[in-house]
Amino acid sequence: MMSLLVTLAFLLLPYQLGSSFSFLPSFSQRKSRYSSLQERPHQQELVPPPNRRGAPHGGDMAYINENIQRQKNTYYQIRESMGEDIEDCIRDVYGKAYPQNQFWYIGKLAFTSGTVSEAVALQRQWNLLQEHGSRLRPVELGRAFGRIEIFIAPGDSEVDVSNNEMPLKRIPRPPKDTITEIQKVSLKEIGLNLEIVTNNGLGFRVDRSPSGGLLP
C-alpha cells in the first residue's frame, strides 16, 4: 500500500509544481530536436557517400588505380628496356616518419637517367609515394602523411640494406618554386612499382641513423 502511495505522489509531482515542470521533453521540444537533426548539412558527415566526394588531389599523380597502374606499367617498360643493366635507372624507395629511425620499404622507382635525375623522378611522383606510404604502414607512417621522409638505395639492394651494408640516401621534398618545372617531366620518363605487403602484414623495414647512414 505504501509503495502505491509513493508511486502516485511521484506521478502527481509535476502537477503540484506547476504545468511548466516536466520530467520529459514537451512535444514541441522533441519536434525542434528532430528538425535540427534533419537540417544538418551533409558536410558534417564523417564519411560522405561517393556521390558527394570531391575529386582526389594530385592531378596525374592522384592516388587512384588508373595512375597507380600507369606508373607501374611504365616502371616495367623502363626496366625491361635496360635488360640487366639497371644500375642507372632503378632505385629502391624507403620512407620514415620523424623522429623514428625505422625505414619502411615503399616500392621501386624507374627513370630514364639520360633525361631526368633520380631526385626529380621521385619528386614528380611525390604524391603517390606519400599516399601509398601512409596506407602501407598506417600506424608507423600514416600520421606523417605529407611529411614522410623519402630515402633511396640502389635497385634490388634489399639484401645489402638488410645486412647494414648499404646506406640510404634522402631525397628532399620538392621545393615550391620548382614544382612547375618538375610537373613538366613526361610520364613516359618515370615509373613507380609500389610495394604490396603479403607476408602477414609485416612488411620490410630497416633501422638506420636519422640521416640513413649505417649503424655502428
Side-chain angles (χ1 to χ4, degrees):
M1 182 67 178
M2 180 62 68
S3 61
L4 178 60
L5 291 175
V6 171
T7 302
L8 289 172
F10 180 81
L11 294 175
L12 293 173
L13 181 60
Y15 298 97
Q16 296 171 353
L17 295 177
S19 59
S20 61
F21 180 87
S22 175
F23 290 108
L24 298 175
S26 65
F27 174 77
S28 60
Q29 290 174 324
R30 292 197 299 270
K31 182 179 179 182
S32 175
R33 292 176 186 176
Y34 177 77
S35 299
S36 65
L37 289 174
Q38 292 293 95
E39 294 170 359
R40 286 180 180 177
H42 294 306
Q43 55 265 30
Q44 291 185 2
E45 297 171 351
L46 293 179
V47 182
N51 63 341
R52 287 203 295 269
R53 297 176 189 170
H57 298 288
D60 56 15
M61 291 299 164
Y63 195 75
I64 59 176
N65 185 62
E66 176 185 353
N67 295 337
I68 294 171
Q69 291 300 321
R70 182 196 63 232
Q71 296 310 112
K72 180 179 180 180
N73 294 338
T74 306
Y75 166 85
Y76 281 111
Q77 291 171 4
I78 295 174
R79 179 165 186 142
E80 291 171 2
S81 68
M82 299 300 293
E84 297 182 359
D85 186 17
I86 65 169
E87 180 179 352
D88 294 332
C89 67
I90 302 296
R91 299 289 184 270
D92 293 346
V93 185
Y94 296 80
K96 89 175 188 74
Y98 177 85
Q100 302 174 14
N101 291 329
Q102 295 178 340
F103 295 72
W104 293 92
Y105 177 71
I106 297 178
K108 292 182 181 290
L109 166 76
F111 58 103
T112 55
S113 56
T115 59
V116 62
S117 67
E118 61 186 13
V120 172
L122 272 177
Q123 292 168 345
R124 178 71 169 87
Q125 303 173 98
W126 198 261
N127 188 68
L128 283 181
L129 290 169
Q130 294 289 321
E131 292 275 11
H132 190 70
S134 64
R135 288 167 170 79
L136 188 68
R137 308 303 313 179
V139 174
E140 298 87 352
L141 300 179
R143 297 182 180 91
F145 172 70
R147 306 183 309 278
I148 298 174
E149 298 177 6
I150 302 299
F151 291 75
I152 59 171
D156 299 348
S157 62
E158 292 95 328
V159 174
D160 291 338
V161 170
S162 65
N163 291 333
N164 195 37
E165 298 173 355
M166 180 71 65
L168 303 179
K169 174 183 176 181
R170 184 175 180 181
I171 301 298
R173 180 188 181 119
K176 290 184 179 180
D177 59 352
T178 65
I179 291 178
T180 301
E181 286 299 316
I182 290 174
Q183 289 178 338
K184 294 179 182 179
V185 174
S186 171
L187 298 178
K188 297 179 180 179
E189 301 176 38
I190 54 174
L192 197 61
N193 187 17
L194 296 171
E195 168 75 339
I196 299 176
V197 175
T198 56
N199 54 339
N200 298 321
L202 297 179
F204 174 51
R205 68 172 177 84
V206 295
D207 294 330
R208 285 289 187 275
S209 71
S211 62
L214 301 178
L215 296 177

